[in-house]
Amino acid sequence: MLNVLYLHRTRGQGVEGVHIRGIIDSFKTLGNNVIIVSPGEDNKNNNEDKNPDVKQENRKLNKIFKIISEKAPETIFELIEVAYNVIAARKIKAVKKLYDFGLIYERYAFFGIMGAICAKKWHIPLILEINYTTKNDLVRKRSVILKPFSQAAERWVFRQAAGLVVVSSFIREQLVNEYDIPPEKIRIIPNAANPELFGMNVPPIKTVSGVNIEEKKVCGFVGGFYPWHGVDLLINAFSDISDKVENAVLLLIGDGPERGNIEEKVKELKLENKVIFTGKIPHKELPKYVAAFSVGVMPDSNDYGSPMKIFEYMALGKPVVAPDYGPILDVIISGTQGLVFEKRDRRSLSKVLLKIFTDEQLLIAMGQEARKCIEKERNWLNNAKMSLKLVNIKKKGI
């Protein structure tokens, strides 16, 4: 059995939490023992935290970090990110007394250097999972003051890692061309889905917000109502085809600051009877909603990220409609697992939606191929296996 130290600096919620749990659970399925160090309640679901004082401290830190992440000015927030290395060092030191680690797996975060320092000190491999770099245009705007320091730390950490897991070919090219990382150290491993949780035997929900959707052709979306998710584009494109597709409805699952604007747009386009809002749905409840989709839509994305929602659509046998960003093209062959449209192009999206809803045989065939893709390749267990193949590991006992 291999003891894996899993490091992350998130609150473990939303899609980040799904990814983290997916990899951790898969490492365990492969016979490994995983010890988590994070700002939250480490190992709270694992019954592995043997120190109640550490557990209480974790709860306090989780509350503090929640306030900081939401309220602190950017420069202050970044200084606290730097300071978290001290907290991480204390936490790692505490668990090191209990376990002999054979591997460190870290979800990369700006200024996060303790994983690399410990790997070097203990002479064990570090696998670094990279979802973004300082060169990416992130939602949260970083301060100019500390940017040189974050870039220097980033470059050093990347070079210390024995293996680098990246979620898209875009990030791989960045590492090779701008960070001079040897290509053989990098593996592209996009996001995935849990084929058991999102299984084909999940019964679809029949009534949503008082509307019976059992006999409807459901165009579905799951995600936050934020400008960068392109829900307004989806509303516009759906309005173009709604009268051309009998029994078509648009099911929007999620919430966020743009919801009010989206609801107003729905009223302006007189789509109130065809657009259904559910609000935010717990992840464990999500499969029965996605199972009711005819097709799952990703209206907008970015050049570097791997959108998790498309894999969960695919796991339930739903063809994907998504924009032609690189990370989408890394995993979707247009016409096989779904259809790709020109990014941020209303006409292109409308055309693709009309095609998929008026060709029942194509819709069914793409849904079947989508499910096969998840079963064979795009699942968390396979992701964990591919990650471990990056490095040679000497197994150590507890």
Side-chain angles (χ1 to χ4, degrees):
M1 178 174 62
L2 179 71
N3 286 323
V4 180
L5 176 60
Y6 188 105
L7 304 177
H8 73 90
R9 201 187 65 207
T10 80
R11 289 162 57 194
Q13 299 177 353
V15 293
E16 290 179 332
V18 174
H19 190 147
I20 289 166
R21 289 190 298 273
I23 293 296
I24 289 173
D25 290 346
S26 296
F27 280 157
K28 291 179 181 178
T29 299
L30 293 171
N32 303 300
N33 184 38
V34 182
I35 300 89
I36 307 164
V37 168
S38 73
E41 296 178 45
D42 305 337
N43 307 310
K44 64 181 178 180
N45 297 318
N46 307 344
N47 295 319
E48 291 174 347
D49 192 345
K50 301 178 182 179
N51 189 333
D53 292 333
V54 171
K55 189 173 182 179
Q56 183 64 29
E57 180 183 357
N58 288 339
R59 288 177 176 170
K60 292 178 181 178
L61 285 171
N62 196 34
K63 292 178 181 178
I64 293 170
F65 277 108
K66 179 180 179 181
I67 295 171
I68 289 170
S69 64
E70 293 175 354
K71 305 294 184 182
E74 193 57 46
T75 303
I76 300 299
F77 177 79
E78 291 179 6
L79 288 172
I80 293 170
E81 286 182 317
V82 175
Y84 177 74
N85 285 293
V86 178
I87 297 172
R90 287 180 56 205
K91 286 169 168 270
I92 292 170
K93 183 178 180 182
V95 295
K96 185 67 167 67
K97 293 178 181 179
L98 303 173
Y99 302 96
D100 188 15
F101 298 113
L103 171 69
I104 298 175
Y105 185 99
E106 182 171 8
R107 183 182 175 96
Y108 170 67
F110 295 156
F111 301 107
I113 60 173
M114 286 312 303
I117 289 174
C118 290
K120 190 172 184 178
K121 179 180 179 181
W122 300 338
H123 304 289
I124 62 173
L126 165 68
I127 296 177
L128 200 64
E129 174 197 301
I130 304 173
N131 294 273
Y132 51 76
T133 74
T134 56
K135 296 180 183 294
N136 297 139
D137 186 17
L138 301 177
V139 171
R140 184 167 191 150
K141 301 302 180 185
R142 313 295 293 191
S143 71
V144 176
I145 298 173
L146 294 178
K147 191 171 184 178
F149 299 99
S150 64
Q151 289 181 337
E154 177 172 84
R155 185 174 293 273
W156 181 79
V157 169
F158 289 176
R159 291 180 175 178
Q160 298 306 308
L164 299 164
V165 170
V166 300
V167 295
S168 68
S169 55
F170 182 93
I171 297 179
R172 180 187 183 278
E173 294 308 308
Q174 270 193 335
L175 297 186
V176 172
N177 297 325
E178 301 179 43
Y179 291 83
D180 298 322
I181 303 296
E184 60 270 19
K185 286 181 62 174
I186 308 168
R187 179 158 293 179
I188 303 171
I189 306 180
N191 275 321
N194 181 335
E196 284 75 41
L197 177 62
F198 288 82
M200 293 298 288
N201 59 345
V202 174
I205 194 166
K206 296 179 180 179
T207 303
V208 181
S209 302
V211 180
N212 189 321
I213 62 171
E214 192 172 4
E215 302 298 327
K216 303 291 186 181
K217 292 184 177 179
V218 181
C219 180
F221 164 82
V222 179
F225 286 48
Y226 297 97
W228 53 87
H229 280 168
V231 184
D232 56 339
L233 175 67
L234 176 56
I235 296 292
N236 286 330
F238 180 77
S239 72
D240 295 338
I241 66 139
S242 61
D243 291 335
K244 301 173 185 177
V245 179
E246 187 177 359
N247 289 326
V249 295
L250 178 59
L251 181 57
L252 301 176
I253 300 173
D255 211 339
E258 289 293 304
R259 178 167 174 173
N261 294 334
I262 297 301
E263 289 176 338
E264 284 299 315
K265 180 178 282 291
V266 168
K267 290 178 182 178
E268 290 172 12
L269 296 171
K270 296 181 171 53
L271 293 172
E272 297 98 317
N273 295 328
K274 295 188 176 184
V275 179
I276 305 167
F277 294 87
T278 69
K280 191 173 182 180
I281 301 293
H283 190 258
K284 64 181 180 180
E285 299 291 326
L286 196 55
K288 64 184 179 182
Y289 286 85
V290 177
F293 291 3
S294 303
V295 59
V297 183
M298 177 76 195
D300 202 7
S301 188
N302 56 54
D303 289 319
Y304 60 88
S306 178
M308 192 175 299
K309 62 175 63 67
I310 68 172
F311 301 101
E312 294 179 341
Y313 298 159
M314 291 165 66
L316 280 160
K318 308 304 173 183
V320 174
V321 168
D324 58 354
Y325 290 97
I328 304 291
L329 300 177
D330 285 341
V331 295
I332 299 292
I333 300 172
S334 193
T336 301
Q337 300 92 0
L339 293 174
V340 174
F341 65 92
E342 296 176 27
K343 54 181 174 285
R344 300 181 182 175
D345 188 306
R346 172 177 175 172
R347 182 177 297 180
S348 180
L349 176 53
S350 302
K351 183 179 179 180
V352 163
L353 288 176
L354 186 60
K355 178 177 177 60
I356 205 167
F357 277 116
T358 54
D359 191 337
E360 186 70 19
Q361 289 186 334
L362 178 64
L363 188 150
I364 293 171
M366 291 192 299
Q368 291 172 343
E369 287 299 318
R371 174 65 188 185
K372 288 179 185 176
C373 180
I374 298 299
E375 291 176 343
K376 292 180 179 179
E377 187 176 9
R378 301 302 176 197
N379 58 75
W380 295 118
L381 185 61
N382 192 51
N383 279 16
K385 289 178 181 178
M386 289 194 294
S387 296
L388 293 175
K389 286 179 180 179
L390 268 168
V391 294
N392 293 319
I393 301 169
K394 180 180 179 181
K395 291 198 173 185
K396 301 180 180 181
I398 296 177

